[in-house]
Amino acid sequence: MKSLTIIIIGICIFFASPASSQPSSPLNGVYHTKVSGTNTLWLFSDGYSSQIVYKDTEYLFTKGGPYKYNGETLSIIVEYSDNDSSEVGKTQDIQMFLEGSNLKSPEGVVFKKQPTKTQELDGVWRISGRKQGDEINIIQRGDRKTIKILIDGYFQWVAINPSVKGFYGTGGGHYTHKDQQYTEHILFFSRDNSRVGNYLNFKGEIKDDSWHHSGNSSKGDPIYEIWSSE
């Protein structure tokens, strides 16, 4: 069923090949299309790409990694793909063209660019610490990581280990950040579809170039996390 979904939305034109050597330019922003009830959301932030496929009440799959774009070919070094882990570590080239501000596939599928909503937290972050009791436990950089991609009012977190093609969960949706108040509106969650539609409120502030994120998780557990630039 997942493979059929890819065919329907016309994005199954992936080919494992070396990354393009032509000049690249970033596609910072969010692009969306919906075909036969299936959403495809594409986030591009700070040289990182993530594609999420989901129905309004059902998560389907995601894949992503660092990317380059030369105006015709989108080259992605896949760091995660929960639909097909064999893709991890390969470079996939996707034909994709700019049509005005939108992206368009050779099959004619248009991914509409969402409005620009620049916020202080936009970028790609990696969890680097958690508070337990009164102490901050530093998370050393390694193969396993949890990253969070934020751009133009959308966010996605994903827990992965590219070295073993590991995928441990993802979630995302809309976000706002103003006056140290950070709010998430869940559009998809791989671990529990019933969380879709929930709003989560946190305190979020930048301290010494790190994002301090505190409040309650989707399960209601208190959290205090520190995120650093990926």
Side-chain angles (χ1 to χ4, degrees):
M1 181 63 184
K2 291 182 179 179
S3 297
L4 179 59
T5 302
I6 303 176
I7 294 171
I8 291 173
I9 61 178
I11 56 173
C12 59
I13 46 176
F14 290 178
F15 304 95
S17 64
S20 172
S21 60
Q22 300 182 43
S24 62
S25 59
L27 288 171
N28 260 23
V30 180
Y31 299 80
H32 175 263
T33 192
K34 188 172 186 177
V35 177
S36 300
T38 298
N39 298 282
T40 299
L41 188 67
W42 224 329
L43 311 182
F44 296 92
S45 183
D46 289 353
Y48 206 91
S49 163
S50 189
Q51 182 189 85
I52 311 100
V53 180
Y54 62 100
K55 295 184 178 181
D56 290 346
T57 57
E58 180 187 3
Y59 170 81
L60 296 175
F61 60 92
T62 187
K63 77 166 65 178
Y67 80 94
K68 291 183 178 181
Y69 180 63
N70 65 9
E72 295 182 353
T73 303
L74 180 62
S75 296
I76 301 172
I77 302 173
V78 180
E79 286 200 327
Y80 55 89
S81 174
D82 60 334
N83 190 46
D84 183 359
S85 62
S86 70
E87 296 176 330
V88 175
K90 297 177 181 177
T91 297
Q92 296 188 332
D93 287 347
I94 309 165
Q95 273 193 294
M96 198 65 64
F97 305 98
L98 280 169
E99 186 176 79
S101 60
N102 302 322
L103 284 172
K104 186 175 182 179
S105 75
E107 293 79 12
V109 177
V110 175
F111 297 82
K112 186 176 180 180
K113 190 175 189 305
Q114 303 304 290
T116 300
K117 296 180 181 178
T118 304
Q119 299 181 69
E120 183 183 23
L121 292 177
D122 282 0
V124 182
W125 301 84
R126 177 180 181 139
I127 195 164
S128 57
R130 283 193 181 94
K131 189 173 184 179
Q132 293 182 328
D134 295 327
E135 295 185 359
I136 298 291
N137 293 328
I138 301 302
I139 300 172
Q140 300 297 331
R141 282 183 173 260
D143 292 330
R144 181 162 178 164
K145 59 184 179 179
T146 299
I147 60 174
K148 205 163 194 174
I149 306 155
L150 296 98
I151 186 74
D152 287 344
Y154 286 81
F155 81 96
Q156 180 192 14
W157 65 265
V158 58
I160 57 174
N161 186 338
S163 69
V164 296
K165 303 182 180 182
F167 179 89
Y168 311 113
T170 189
H174 298 292
Y175 92 93
T176 59
H177 178 239
K178 185 177 181 180
D179 298 329
Q180 297 186 5
Q181 297 301 308
Y182 173 83
T183 301
E184 295 179 345
H185 176 215
I186 308 301
L187 295 180
F188 57 89
F189 187 26
S190 66
R191 297 172 179 170
D192 186 353
N193 287 318
S194 71
R195 305 286 183 183
V196 171
N198 286 0
Y199 286 85
L200 302 175
N201 297 304
F202 303 91
K203 181 179 180 181
E205 58 181 324
I206 303 295
K207 295 181 181 179
D208 299 324
D209 296 325
S210 294
W211 168 20
H212 288 243
H213 175 81
S214 59
N216 292 318
S217 71
S218 60
K219 293 182 179 180
D221 300 325
I223 60 171
Y224 190 112
E225 300 171 340
I226 299 174
W227 297 75
S228 302
S229 177
E230 170 67 355

